[in-house]
Amino acid sequence: MDYSFDHDRPIYLQLMEQLEREIASGTLSPGSRMPSVRDLAGRLGISPNTVQRAMYEMERTGLIQSLGTEGRIVTQNRSRIEEARKELAQGTLEAFYQEMRRLGFDDAETLRLAKEYSSAVREERSVE
């Protein structure tokens, strides 16, 4: 876990986002144990209260589960993980389309460029 935080937004929100990405990508797999609050706070150099708040909020969203005194685990509810994955993808696409519009591209041009890019990447991978 190599996280960096900016000072424009609350750190607990940034920590939640980064943990959500790790869960959605499979880096943190369903049922895997989450690091303890103290361990994570120490590794990241942030307050345990900040980590606790992020963990609590993630429990509320259903991405992690508390096992009481035994700590926390990533949810084993794969549909919840897939839902989070789609939400992250939607946010990424929204930001991408907004930036393309700022650059003067309409949706059709943006889609065409994305397809061209995807084809080029596929070709590069097949050469490797």
Side-chain angles (χ1 to χ4, degrees), residues 24-61:
S25 70
T27 302
L28 289 172
S29 58
S32 65
R33 194 169 287 288
M34 296 294 293
S36 72
V37 168
R38 285 188 183 163
D39 180 50
L40 193 53
R43 283 194 277 162
L44 299 176
I46 60 178
S47 164
N49 291 337
T50 299
V51 175
Q52 181 65 33
R53 182 166 182 192
M55 295 287 195
Y56 172 76
E57 292 298 328
M58 290 185 72
E59 282 179 41
R60 279 188 347 96
T61 67

PDB file of all heavy atoms in Angstrom, residues 24-61:
ATOM      1  N   ALA A  24     -12.097  -3.255  -5.634  1.00  0.00           N
ATOM      2  CA  ALA A  24     -12.709  -3.399  -6.962  1.00  0.00           C
ATOM      3  C   ALA A  24     -11.766  -4.061  -7.957  1.00  0.00           C
ATOM      4  O   ALA A  24     -12.200  -4.822  -8.824  1.00  0.00           O
ATOM      5  CB  ALA A  24     -13.144  -2.032  -7.484  1.00  0.00           C
ATOM      6  N   SER A  25     -10.470  -3.801  -7.842  1.00  0.00           N
ATOM      7  CA  SER A  25      -9.499  -4.371  -8.780  1.00  0.00           C
ATOM      8  C   SER A  25      -9.089  -5.786  -8.407  1.00  0.00           C
ATOM      9  O   SER A  25      -8.438  -6.470  -9.190  1.00  0.00           O
ATOM     10  CB  SER A  25      -8.249  -3.493  -8.845  1.00  0.00           C
ATOM     11  OG  SER A  25      -7.526  -3.578  -7.628  1.00  0.00           O
ATOM     12  N   GLY A  26      -9.436  -6.216  -7.188  1.00  0.00           N
ATOM     13  CA  GLY A  26      -9.062  -7.547  -6.747  1.00  0.00           C
ATOM     14  C   GLY A  26      -7.750  -7.603  -5.999  1.00  0.00           C
ATOM     15  O   GLY A  26      -7.328  -8.670  -5.553  1.00  0.00           O
ATOM     16  N   THR A  27      -7.092  -6.460  -5.848  1.00  0.00           N
ATOM     17  CA  THR A  27      -5.852  -6.423  -5.062  1.00  0.00           C
ATOM     18  C   THR A  27      -6.141  -6.867  -3.635  1.00  0.00           C
ATOM     19  O   THR A  27      -5.366  -7.608  -3.040  1.00  0.00           O
ATOM     20  CB  THR A  27      -5.234  -5.010  -5.082  1.00  0.00           C
ATOM     21  OG1 THR A  27      -4.995  -4.639  -6.445  1.00  0.00           O
ATOM     22  CG2 THR A  27      -3.941  -4.960  -4.302  1.00  0.00           C
ATOM     23  N   LEU A  28      -7.274  -6.400  -3.103  1.00  0.00           N
ATOM     24  CA  LEU A  28      -7.790  -6.905  -1.824  1.00  0.00           C
ATOM     25  C   LEU A  28      -8.943  -7.829  -2.180  1.00  0.00           C
ATOM     26  O   LEU A  28      -9.990  -7.374  -2.636  1.00  0.00           O
ATOM     27  CB  LEU A  28      -8.269  -5.753  -0.926  1.00  0.00           C
ATOM     28  CG  LEU A  28      -7.199  -4.859  -0.328  1.00  0.00           C
ATOM     29  CD1 LEU A  28      -7.831  -3.655   0.368  1.00  0.00           C
ATOM     30  CD2 LEU A  28      -6.341  -5.640   0.654  1.00  0.00           C
ATOM     31  N   SER A  29      -8.753  -9.112  -2.026  1.00  0.00           N
ATOM     32  CA  SER A  29      -9.739 -10.088  -2.495  1.00  0.00           C
ATOM     33  C   SER A  29     -10.854 -10.310  -1.471  1.00  0.00           C
ATOM     34  O   SER A  29     -10.673 -10.064  -0.271  1.00  0.00           O
ATOM     35  CB  SER A  29      -9.050 -11.403  -2.835  1.00  0.00           C
ATOM     36  OG  SER A  29      -8.360 -11.900  -1.719  1.00  0.00           O
ATOM     37  N   PRO A  30     -12.010 -10.784  -1.943  1.00  0.00           N
ATOM     38  CA  PRO A  30     -13.130 -11.049  -1.042  1.00  0.00           C
ATOM     39  C   PRO A  30     -12.714 -11.973   0.103  1.00  0.00           C
ATOM     40  O   PRO A  30     -12.048 -12.982  -0.117  1.00  0.00           O
ATOM     41  CB  PRO A  30     -14.158 -11.735  -1.951  1.00  0.00           C
ATOM     42  CG  PRO A  30     -13.823 -11.270  -3.327  1.00  0.00           C
ATOM     43  CD  PRO A  30     -12.336 -11.108  -3.334  1.00  0.00           C
ATOM     44  N   GLY A  31     -13.071 -11.574   1.307  1.00  0.00           N
ATOM     45  CA  GLY A  31     -12.757 -12.376   2.481  1.00  0.00           C
ATOM     46  C   GLY A  31     -11.375 -12.132   3.059  1.00  0.00           C
ATOM     47  O   GLY A  31     -11.054 -12.648   4.123  1.00  0.00           O
ATOM     48  N   SER A  32     -10.542 -11.344   2.361  1.00  0.00           N
ATOM     49  CA  SER A  32      -9.194 -11.096   2.889  1.00  0.00           C
ATOM     50  C   SER A  32      -9.274 -10.142   4.074  1.00  0.00           C
ATOM     51  O   SER A  32     -10.158  -9.308   4.178  1.00  0.00           O
ATOM     52  CB  SER A  32      -8.264 -10.545   1.807  1.00  0.00           C
ATOM     53  OG  SER A  32      -8.687  -9.284   1.361  1.00  0.00           O
ATOM     54  N   ARG A  33      -8.339 -10.314   4.957  1.00  0.00           N
ATOM     55  CA  ARG A  33      -8.295  -9.520   6.179  1.00  0.00           C
ATOM     56  C   ARG A  33      -7.757  -8.126   5.884  1.00  0.00           C
ATOM     57  O   ARG A  33      -6.772  -7.965   5.182  1.00  0.00           O
ATOM     58  CB  ARG A  33      -7.407 -10.219   7.207  1.00  0.00           C
ATOM     59  CG  ARG A  33      -7.556  -9.687   8.601  1.00  0.00           C
ATOM     60  CD  ARG A  33      -6.879 -10.566   9.627  1.00  0.00           C
ATOM     61  NE  ARG A  33      -7.547 -11.822   9.912  1.00  0.00           N
ATOM     62  CZ  ARG A  33      -8.685 -11.959  10.586  1.00  0.00           C
ATOM     63  NH1 ARG A  33      -9.324 -10.906  11.006  1.00  0.00           N
ATOM     64  NH2 ARG A  33      -9.187 -13.143  10.841  1.00  0.00           N
ATOM     65  N   MET A  34      -8.438  -7.133   6.425  1.00  0.00           N
ATOM     66  CA  MET A  34      -7.988  -5.747   6.308  1.00  0.00           C
ATOM     67  C   MET A  34      -6.900  -5.504   7.351  1.00  0.00           C
ATOM     68  O   MET A  34      -6.923  -6.106   8.424  1.00  0.00           O
ATOM     69  CB  MET A  34      -9.157  -4.782   6.561  1.00  0.00           C
ATOM     70  CG  MET A  34     -10.275  -4.860   5.539  1.00  0.00           C
ATOM     71  SD  MET A  34      -9.789  -4.320   3.897  1.00  0.00           S
ATOM     72  CE  MET A  34      -9.488  -2.578   4.177  1.00  0.00           C
ATOM     73  N   PRO A  35      -5.952  -4.621   7.046  1.00  0.00           N
ATOM     74  CA  PRO A  35      -4.952  -4.282   8.069  1.00  0.00           C
ATOM     75  C   PRO A  35      -5.649  -3.628   9.266  1.00  0.00           C
ATOM     76  O   PRO A  35      -6.714  -3.016   9.109  1.00  0.00           O
ATOM     77  CB  PRO A  35      -4.040  -3.277   7.372  1.00  0.00           C
ATOM     78  CG  PRO A  35      -4.495  -3.149   5.979  1.00  0.00           C
ATOM     79  CD  PRO A  35      -5.773  -3.882   5.815  1.00  0.00           C
ATOM     80  N   SER A  36      -5.037  -3.751  10.423  1.00  0.00           N
ATOM     81  CA  SER A  36      -5.620  -3.113  11.604  1.00  0.00           C
ATOM     82  C   SER A  36      -5.532  -1.597  11.452  1.00  0.00           C
ATOM     83  O   SER A  36      -4.708  -1.076  10.691  1.00  0.00           O
ATOM     84  CB  SER A  36      -4.891  -3.546  12.875  1.00  0.00           C
ATOM     85  OG  SER A  36      -3.608  -2.945  12.930  1.00  0.00           O
ATOM     86  N   VAL A  37      -6.377  -0.905  12.195  1.00  0.00           N
ATOM     87  CA  VAL A  37      -6.393   0.557  12.160  1.00  0.00           C
ATOM     88  C   VAL A  37      -5.019   1.101  12.541  1.00  0.00           C
ATOM     89  O   VAL A  37      -4.468   1.959  11.843  1.00  0.00           O
ATOM     90  CB  VAL A  37      -7.499   1.117  13.090  1.00  0.00           C
ATOM     91  CG1 VAL A  37      -7.343   2.612  13.297  1.00  0.00           C
ATOM     92  CG2 VAL A  37      -8.871   0.780  12.531  1.00  0.00           C
ATOM     93  N   ARG A  38      -4.457   0.588  13.609  1.00  0.00           N
ATOM     94  CA  ARG A  38      -3.148   1.095  14.067  1.00  0.00           C
ATOM     95  C   ARG A  38      -2.041   0.803  13.061  1.00  0.00           C
ATOM     96  O   ARG A  38      -1.194   1.649  12.802  1.00  0.00           O
ATOM     97  CB  ARG A  38      -2.785   0.488  15.425  1.00  0.00           C
ATOM     98  CG  ARG A  38      -3.559   1.098  16.538  1.00  0.00           C
ATOM     99  CD  ARG A  38      -3.057   0.640  17.863  1.00  0.00           C
ATOM    100  NE  ARG A  38      -3.909   1.213  18.904  1.00  0.00           N
ATOM    101  CZ  ARG A  38      -3.956   0.791  20.119  1.00  0.00           C
ATOM    102  NH1 ARG A  38      -3.216  -0.230  20.493  1.00  0.00           N
ATOM    103  NH2 ARG A  38      -4.735   1.364  21.000  1.00  0.00           N
ATOM    104  N   ASP A  39      -2.063  -0.384  12.494  1.00  0.00           N
ATOM    105  CA  ASP A  39      -1.046  -0.746  11.512  1.00  0.00           C
ATOM    106  C   ASP A  39      -1.133   0.157  10.284  1.00  0.00           C
ATOM    107  O   ASP A  39      -0.126   0.696   9.820  1.00  0.00           O
ATOM    108  CB  ASP A  39      -1.198  -2.213  11.104  1.00  0.00           C
ATOM    109  CG  ASP A  39      -0.168  -2.649  10.087  1.00  0.00           C
ATOM    110  OD1 ASP A  39       1.043  -2.394  10.308  1.00  0.00           O
ATOM    111  OD2 ASP A  39      -0.563  -3.237   9.059  1.00  0.00           O
ATOM    112  N   LEU A  40      -2.330   0.326   9.767  1.00  0.00           N
ATOM    113  CA  LEU A  40      -2.522   1.143   8.574  1.00  0.00           C
ATOM    114  C   LEU A  40      -2.168   2.603   8.858  1.00  0.00           C
ATOM    115  O   LEU A  40      -1.489   3.249   8.053  1.00  0.00           O
ATOM    116  CB  LEU A  40      -3.966   1.015   8.079  1.00  0.00           C
ATOM    117  CG  LEU A  40      -4.265   1.546   6.691  1.00  0.00           C
ATOM    118  CD1 LEU A  40      -3.331   0.960   5.644  1.00  0.00           C
ATOM    119  CD2 LEU A  40      -5.716   1.237   6.312  1.00  0.00           C
ATOM    120  N   ALA A  41      -2.594   3.115   9.998  1.00  0.00           N
ATOM    121  CA  ALA A  41      -2.279   4.501  10.368  1.00  0.00           C
ATOM    122  C   ALA A  41      -0.768   4.696  10.460  1.00  0.00           C
ATOM    123  O   ALA A  41      -0.229   5.686   9.951  1.00  0.00           O
ATOM    124  CB  ALA A  41      -2.951   4.866  11.689  1.00  0.00           C
ATOM    125  N   GLY A  42      -0.090   3.733  11.069  1.00  0.00           N
ATOM    126  CA  GLY A  42       1.366   3.828  11.202  1.00  0.00           C
ATOM    127  C   GLY A  42       2.073   3.787   9.860  1.00  0.00           C
ATOM    128  O   GLY A  42       2.996   4.563   9.612  1.00  0.00           O
ATOM    129  N   ARG A  43       1.650   2.876   8.981  1.00  0.00           N
ATOM    130  CA  ARG A  43       2.288   2.771   7.664  1.00  0.00           C
ATOM    131  C   ARG A  43       2.060   3.999   6.803  1.00  0.00           C
ATOM    132  O   ARG A  43       2.917   4.371   6.017  1.00  0.00           O
ATOM    133  CB  ARG A  43       1.783   1.531   6.927  1.00  0.00           C
ATOM    134  CG  ARG A  43       2.403   0.249   7.434  1.00  0.00           C
ATOM    135  CD  ARG A  43       2.145  -0.884   6.492  1.00  0.00           C
ATOM    136  NE  ARG A  43       0.822  -1.426   6.771  1.00  0.00           N
ATOM    137  CZ  ARG A  43       0.129  -2.177   5.947  1.00  0.00           C
ATOM    138  NH1 ARG A  43       0.601  -2.488   4.772  1.00  0.00           N
ATOM    139  NH2 ARG A  43      -1.057  -2.644   6.292  1.00  0.00           N
ATOM    140  N   LEU A  44       0.870   4.613   6.954  1.00  0.00           N
ATOM    141  CA  LEU A  44       0.529   5.760   6.119  1.00  0.00           C
ATOM    142  C   LEU A  44       0.882   7.098   6.754  1.00  0.00           C
ATOM    143  O   LEU A  44       0.811   8.138   6.103  1.00  0.00           O
ATOM    144  CB  LEU A  44      -0.973   5.738   5.786  1.00  0.00           C
ATOM    145  CG  LEU A  44      -1.453   4.524   5.004  1.00  0.00           C
ATOM    146  CD1 LEU A  44      -2.963   4.576   4.832  1.00  0.00           C
ATOM    147  CD2 LEU A  44      -0.757   4.425   3.663  1.00  0.00           C
ATOM    148  N   GLY A  45       1.230   7.073   8.029  1.00  0.00           N
ATOM    149  CA  GLY A  45       1.581   8.308   8.725  1.00  0.00           C
ATOM    150  C   GLY A  45       0.387   9.226   8.930  1.00  0.00           C
ATOM    151  O   GLY A  45       0.522  10.445   8.841  1.00  0.00           O
ATOM    152  N   ILE A  46      -0.768   8.629   9.194  1.00  0.00           N
ATOM    153  CA  ILE A  46      -1.976   9.421   9.448  1.00  0.00           C
ATOM    154  C   ILE A  46      -2.580   8.994  10.779  1.00  0.00           C
ATOM    155  O   ILE A  46      -2.199   7.974  11.352  1.00  0.00           O
ATOM    156  CB  ILE A  46      -3.018   9.292   8.308  1.00  0.00           C
ATOM    157  CG1 ILE A  46      -3.468   7.838   8.115  1.00  0.00           C
ATOM    158  CG2 ILE A  46      -2.452   9.863   7.006  1.00  0.00           C
ATOM    159  CD1 ILE A  46      -4.535   7.653   7.042  1.00  0.00           C
ATOM    160  N   SER A  47      -3.513   9.767  11.247  1.00  0.00           N
ATOM    161  CA  SER A  47      -4.141   9.509  12.544  1.00  0.00           C
ATOM    162  C   SER A  47      -4.967   8.221  12.525  1.00  0.00           C
ATOM    163  O   SER A  47      -5.701   7.972  11.568  1.00  0.00           O
ATOM    164  CB  SER A  47      -5.047  10.690  12.891  1.00  0.00           C
ATOM    165  OG  SER A  47      -5.945  10.352  13.920  1.00  0.00           O
ATOM    166  N   PRO A  48      -4.889   7.423  13.603  1.00  0.00           N
ATOM    167  CA  PRO A  48      -5.766   6.256  13.713  1.00  0.00           C
ATOM    168  C   PRO A  48      -7.247   6.633  13.634  1.00  0.00           C
ATOM    169  O   PRO A  48      -8.057   5.876  13.117  1.00  0.00           O
ATOM    170  CB  PRO A  48      -5.422   5.662  15.079  1.00  0.00           C
ATOM    171  CG  PRO A  48      -4.038   6.132  15.359  1.00  0.00           C
ATOM    172  CD  PRO A  48      -3.940   7.485  14.720  1.00  0.00           C
ATOM    173  N   ASN A  49      -7.607   7.820  14.122  1.00  0.00           N
ATOM    174  CA  ASN A  49      -8.999   8.262  14.039  1.00  0.00           C
ATOM    175  C   ASN A  49      -9.446   8.430  12.583  1.00  0.00           C
ATOM    176  O   ASN A  49     -10.588   8.124  12.241  1.00  0.00           O
ATOM    177  CB  ASN A  49      -9.205   9.588  14.785  1.00  0.00           C
ATOM    178  CG  ASN A  49      -9.072   9.429  16.282  1.00  0.00           C
ATOM    179  OD1 ASN A  49      -9.242   8.332  16.824  1.00  0.00           O
ATOM    180  ND2 ASN A  49      -8.749  10.511  16.955  1.00  0.00           N
ATOM    181  N   THR A  50      -8.537   8.892  11.735  1.00  0.00           N
ATOM    182  CA  THR A  50      -8.838   9.052  10.311  1.00  0.00           C
ATOM    183  C   THR A  50      -9.070   7.688   9.670  1.00  0.00           C
ATOM    184  O   THR A  50     -10.027   7.497   8.915  1.00  0.00           O
ATOM    185  CB  THR A  50      -7.677   9.791   9.608  1.00  0.00           C
ATOM    186  OG1 THR A  50      -7.536  11.085  10.210  1.00  0.00           O
ATOM    187  CG2 THR A  50      -7.930   9.935   8.128  1.00  0.00           C
ATOM    188  N   VAL A  51      -8.202   6.731   9.981  1.00  0.00           N
ATOM    189  CA  VAL A  51      -8.344   5.376   9.445  1.00  0.00           C
ATOM    190  C   VAL A  51      -9.635   4.754   9.964  1.00  0.00           C
ATOM    191  O   VAL A  51     -10.391   4.131   9.199  1.00  0.00           O
ATOM    192  CB  VAL A  51      -7.121   4.497   9.799  1.00  0.00           C
ATOM    193  CG1 VAL A  51      -7.341   3.066   9.343  1.00  0.00           C
ATOM    194  CG2 VAL A  51      -5.859   5.083   9.198  1.00  0.00           C
ATOM    195  N   GLN A  52      -9.917   4.933  11.249  1.00  0.00           N
ATOM    196  CA  GLN A  52     -11.135   4.384  11.848  1.00  0.00           C
ATOM    197  C   GLN A  52     -12.374   4.924  11.141  1.00  0.00           C
ATOM    198  O   GLN A  52     -13.306   4.182  10.843  1.00  0.00           O
ATOM    199  CB  GLN A  52     -11.192   4.704  13.347  1.00  0.00           C
ATOM    200  CG  GLN A  52     -12.406   4.159  14.059  1.00  0.00           C
ATOM    201  CD  GLN A  52     -12.448   2.646  14.077  1.00  0.00           C
ATOM    202  OE1 GLN A  52     -11.425   1.977  14.132  1.00  0.00           O
ATOM    203  NE2 GLN A  52     -13.647   2.087  14.001  1.00  0.00           N
ATOM    204  N   ARG A  53     -12.371   6.215  10.848  1.00  0.00           N
ATOM    205  CA  ARG A  53     -13.527   6.809  10.178  1.00  0.00           C
ATOM    206  C   ARG A  53     -13.699   6.219   8.775  1.00  0.00           C
ATOM    207  O   ARG A  53     -14.812   5.902   8.359  1.00  0.00           O
ATOM    208  CB  ARG A  53     -13.379   8.324  10.092  1.00  0.00           C
ATOM    209  CG  ARG A  53     -14.581   8.967   9.450  1.00  0.00           C
ATOM    210  CD  ARG A  53     -14.623  10.442   9.642  1.00  0.00           C
ATOM    211  NE  ARG A  53     -15.834  10.988   9.048  1.00  0.00           N
ATOM    212  CZ  ARG A  53     -16.038  12.274   8.859  1.00  0.00           C
ATOM    213  NH1 ARG A  53     -15.122  13.143   9.231  1.00  0.00           N
ATOM    214  NH2 ARG A  53     -17.154  12.696   8.301  1.00  0.00           N
ATOM    215  N   ALA A  54     -12.600   6.066   8.054  1.00  0.00           N
ATOM    216  CA  ALA A  54     -12.671   5.476   6.711  1.00  0.00           C
ATOM    217  C   ALA A  54     -13.201   4.048   6.781  1.00  0.00           C
ATOM    218  O   ALA A  54     -14.065   3.658   5.986  1.00  0.00           O
ATOM    219  CB  ALA A  54     -11.290   5.505   6.052  1.00  0.00           C
ATOM    220  N   MET A  55     -12.719   3.270   7.735  1.00  0.00           N
ATOM    221  CA  MET A  55     -13.167   1.882   7.881  1.00  0.00           C
ATOM    222  C   MET A  55     -14.653   1.825   8.237  1.00  0.00           C
ATOM    223  O   MET A  55     -15.400   1.007   7.693  1.00  0.00           O
ATOM    224  CB  MET A  55     -12.354   1.155   8.948  1.00  0.00           C
ATOM    225  CG  MET A  55     -10.908   0.983   8.607  1.00  0.00           C
ATOM    226  SD  MET A  55     -10.673  -0.256   7.339  1.00  0.00           S
ATOM    227  CE  MET A  55      -8.935  -0.543   7.492  1.00  0.00           C
ATOM    228  N   TYR A  56     -15.065   2.701   9.139  1.00  0.00           N
ATOM    229  CA  TYR A  56     -16.475   2.740   9.531  1.00  0.00           C
ATOM    230  C   TYR A  56     -17.359   3.049   8.320  1.00  0.00           C
ATOM    231  O   TYR A  56     -18.386   2.396   8.098  1.00  0.00           O
ATOM    232  CB  TYR A  56     -16.696   3.772  10.642  1.00  0.00           C
ATOM    233  CG  TYR A  56     -18.151   3.993  10.949  1.00  0.00           C
ATOM    234  CD1 TYR A  56     -18.876   3.065  11.690  1.00  0.00           C
ATOM    235  CD2 TYR A  56     -18.812   5.123  10.465  1.00  0.00           C
ATOM    236  CE1 TYR A  56     -20.224   3.255  11.952  1.00  0.00           C
ATOM    237  CE2 TYR A  56     -20.167   5.311  10.723  1.00  0.00           C
ATOM    238  CZ  TYR A  56     -20.865   4.380  11.457  1.00  0.00           C
ATOM    239  OH  TYR A  56     -22.202   4.570  11.715  1.00  0.00           O
ATOM    240  N   GLU A  57     -16.960   4.046   7.547  1.00  0.00           N
ATOM    241  CA  GLU A  57     -17.745   4.420   6.365  1.00  0.00           C
ATOM    242  C   GLU A  57     -17.778   3.285   5.346  1.00  0.00           C
ATOM    243  O   GLU A  57     -18.796   3.045   4.700  1.00  0.00           O
ATOM    244  CB  GLU A  57     -17.196   5.699   5.724  1.00  0.00           C
ATOM    245  CG  GLU A  57     -17.388   6.940   6.570  1.00  0.00           C
ATOM    246  CD  GLU A  57     -18.843   7.293   6.836  1.00  0.00           C
ATOM    247  OE1 GLU A  57     -19.699   7.018   5.977  1.00  0.00           O
ATOM    248  OE2 GLU A  57     -19.134   7.845   7.913  1.00  0.00           O
ATOM    249  N   MET A  58     -16.678   2.566   5.206  1.00  0.00           N
ATOM    250  CA  MET A  58     -16.645   1.439   4.272  1.00  0.00           C
ATOM    251  C   MET A  58     -17.519   0.288   4.766  1.00  0.00           C
ATOM    252  O   MET A  58     -18.094  -0.437   3.958  1.00  0.00           O
ATOM    253  CB  MET A  58     -15.210   0.998   4.023  1.00  0.00           C
ATOM    254  CG  MET A  58     -14.441   2.035   3.218  1.00  0.00           C
ATOM    255  SD  MET A  58     -12.805   1.490   2.773  1.00  0.00           S
ATOM    256  CE  MET A  58     -13.222   0.263   1.540  1.00  0.00           C
ATOM    257  N   GLU A  59     -17.616   0.131   6.065  1.00  0.00           N
ATOM    258  CA  GLU A  59     -18.548  -0.857   6.617  1.00  0.00           C
ATOM    259  C   GLU A  59     -19.977  -0.462   6.266  1.00  0.00           C
ATOM    260  O   GLU A  59     -20.783  -1.314   5.877  1.00  0.00           O
ATOM    261  CB  GLU A  59     -18.413  -0.940   8.140  1.00  0.00           C
ATOM    262  CG  GLU A  59     -17.227  -1.725   8.609  1.00  0.00           C
ATOM    263  CD  GLU A  59     -17.134  -1.749  10.128  1.00  0.00           C
ATOM    264  OE1 GLU A  59     -18.186  -1.884  10.798  1.00  0.00           O
ATOM    265  OE2 GLU A  59     -16.008  -1.612  10.639  1.00  0.00           O
ATOM    266  N   ARG A  60     -20.282   0.827   6.389  1.00  0.00           N
ATOM    267  CA  ARG A  60     -21.633   1.307   6.062  1.00  0.00           C
ATOM    268  C   ARG A  60     -21.975   1.056   4.597  1.00  0.00           C
ATOM    269  O   ARG A  60     -23.122   0.769   4.278  1.00  0.00           O
ATOM    270  CB  ARG A  60     -21.760   2.812   6.355  1.00  0.00           C
ATOM    271  CG  ARG A  60     -22.002   3.142   7.784  1.00  0.00           C
ATOM    272  CD  ARG A  60     -22.329   4.606   8.073  1.00  0.00           C
ATOM    273  NE  ARG A  60     -22.113   5.596   7.029  1.00  0.00           N
ATOM    274  CZ  ARG A  60     -23.058   6.049   6.194  1.00  0.00           C
ATOM    275  NH1 ARG A  60     -24.272   5.570   6.236  1.00  0.00           N
ATOM    276  NH2 ARG A  60     -22.777   6.987   5.305  1.00  0.00           N
ATOM    277  N   THR A  61     -20.986   1.152   3.709  1.00  0.00           N
ATOM    278  CA  THR A  61     -21.243   0.926   2.283  1.00  0.00           C
ATOM    279  C   THR A  61     -21.270  -0.553   1.930  1.00  0.00           C
ATOM    280  O   THR A  61     -21.620  -0.913   0.810  1.00  0.00           O
ATOM    281  CB  THR A  61     -20.191   1.619   1.389  1.00  0.00           C
ATOM    282  OG1 THR A  61     -18.920   0.991   1.568  1.00  0.00           O
ATOM    283  CG2 THR A  61     -20.106   3.106   1.687  1.00  0.00           C
TER     284      THR A  61
END
